[in-house]
Amino acid sequence: MSFVNYHTKEINCKIVYYGPGLGGKTTNIQYVYQKVSGDQKGQIISLNTENERTLFFDFLPLDLGEIRGFRTRFHLYTVPGQVFYEASRKLILRGVDGIIFVADSQVEKMEANLESLAGLEKNLAEQGYDIKTVPLVMQWNKQDLPNTSSEEELQKQLNKWNFPAYSACARTGQGVFESLKMVSKMVLMNLKGGLSTSPFV
Ligand SMILES: Nc1nc2c(ncn2[C@@H]2O[C@H](COP(=O)(O)OP(=O)(O)OP(=O)(O)O)[C@@H](O)[C@H]2O)c(=O)[nH]1
Ligand SMILES: [Mg+2]
């Protein structure tokens, strides 16, 4: 739930990058961190295993300045994608405002994508959220690799709700800000009072 404080004129929103292990969630927020200017970002915090897999989460606070008189901050989180970290994913999803589902476009990863998406739907339902109504953007990542599913196939298998979707290569940054801009716009439009200007546009 976005935290809008009318007294101090602050808005805090939580965006979670969700998806299967090694799909590119951490790479997304590392790219954002590299590109956002110093005064807009806090430290990136990563809790990793020794081989660079996310152990608990990555966290990047972004300060977007004022939107209609409200000091606006976005807190970006990634979940650990490895199957056995389900409890961590549930915890990180608490109070989420917007989600970027980072799918791995490689053909052999379709099962892992489907499993992760089913987990997301279930974890949201446990919080009382219906996935259909949550601001969510699909990201078809790793499109630079050979042997990827077509966008049409990804769309058919993973996006029956017809969320906005972007092809991406998080390593080079393709699609990274497009996804973030769209989800931020959806989150702000969802806020009471309809603050409809995306801070990234
Ligand atoms: N070729 C290619 N490699 C990518 C892309 N995005 C990420 N990678 C690579 O994929 C590997 C895993 O990326 P991460 O960002 O750590 O994946 P993750 O989703 O955070 O993984 P977990 O933390 O285990 O859930 C790294 O070696 C990245 O450099 C991409 O678009 N193309
Ligand atoms: Mg990670």
Side-chain angles (χ1 to χ4, degrees), residues 123-169:
N123 291 338
L124 287 171
E126 280 176 17
Q127 277 194 56
Y129 294 166
D130 178 351
I131 193 170
K132 288 195 291 294
T133 65
V134 174
L136 198 154
V137 166
M138 288 286 173
Q139 187 186 86
W140 313 137
N141 195 33
K142 302 202 180 186
Q143 284 287 327
D144 57 305
L145 293 177
N147 198 30
T148 54
S149 300
S150 67
E151 280 181 48
E152 200 186 0
E153 186 65 15
L154 288 157
Q155 195 70 24
K156 194 171 104 196
Q157 298 266 3
L158 300 170
N159 198 8
K160 64 179 174 197
W161 305 281
N162 229 358
F163 290 118
Y166 296 92
S167 282
C169 172

Side-chain angles (χ1 to χ4, degrees), residues 98-115:
I99 296 167
I100 297 176
F101 185 85
V102 181
D104 189 327
S105 301
Q106 296 175 92
V107 170
E108 68 271 22
K109 294 296 168 74
M110 190 57 90
E111 269 311 307
N113 291 326
L114 284 163
E115 192 185 333

Side-chain angles (χ1 to χ4, degrees), residues 22 24-27 48 52-55 57-58 78-81:
L22 297 178
K25 301 175 292 297
T26 298
T27 310
N48 290 339
E52 298 284 297
R53 305 293 301 271
T54 303
L55 177 62
F57 60 80
D58 305 292
T78 76
V79 298

Side-chain angles (χ1 to χ4, degrees), residues 38-196:
D39 54 344
Q40 270 191 297
K41 67 189 177 193
Q43 278 306 312
I44 193 166
I45 294 170
S46 292
L47 300 172
N48 290 339
T49 62
E50 69 272 17
N51 57 353
E52 298 284 297
R53 305 293 301 271
T54 303
L55 177 62
F56 190 19
F57 60 80
D58 305 292
F59 171 66
L60 172 61
L62 296 179
D63 186 339
L64 304 172
E66 289 210 348
I67 299 177
R68 302 211 189 149
F70 284 79
R71 180 88 186 270
T72 304
R73 294 189 189 87
F74 271 46
H75 293 165
L76 310 187
Y77 288 83
T78 76
V79 298
Q82 293 183 80
V83 174
F84 42 87
Y85 292 137
E86 185 70 355
S88 303
R89 283 191 287 279
K90 283 187 191 184
L91 201 61
I92 292 156
L93 265 184
R94 281 210 198 141
V96 66
D97 296 302
I99 296 167
I100 297 176
F101 185 85
V102 181
D104 189 327
S105 301
Q106 296 175 92
V107 170
E108 68 271 22
K109 294 296 168 74
M110 190 57 90
E111 269 311 307
N113 291 326
L114 284 163
E115 192 185 333
S116 177
L117 190 58
L120 173 61
E121 190 174 3
K122 181 172 142 286
N123 291 338
L124 287 171
E126 280 176 17
Q127 277 194 56
Y129 294 166
D130 178 351
I131 193 170
K132 288 195 291 294
T133 65
V134 174
L136 198 154
V137 166
M138 288 286 173
Q139 187 186 86
W140 313 137
N141 195 33
K142 302 202 180 186
Q143 284 287 327
D144 57 305
L145 293 177
N147 198 30
T148 54
S149 300
S150 67
E151 280 181 48
E152 200 186 0
E153 186 65 15
L154 288 157
Q155 195 70 24
K156 194 171 104 196
Q157 298 266 3
L158 300 170
N159 198 8
K160 64 179 174 197
W161 305 281
N162 229 358
F163 290 118
Y166 296 92
S167 282
C169 172
R171 254 195 195 163
T172 60
Q174 184 212 328
V176 168
F177 274 97
E178 288 84 345
S179 310
L180 181 56
K181 275 179 196 173
M182 179 51 88
V183 82
S184 68
K185 195 167 167 176
M186 292 162 84
V187 166
L188 291 174
M189 282 175 76
N190 229 19
L191 288 180
K192 205 174 161 205
L195 289 158
S196 60

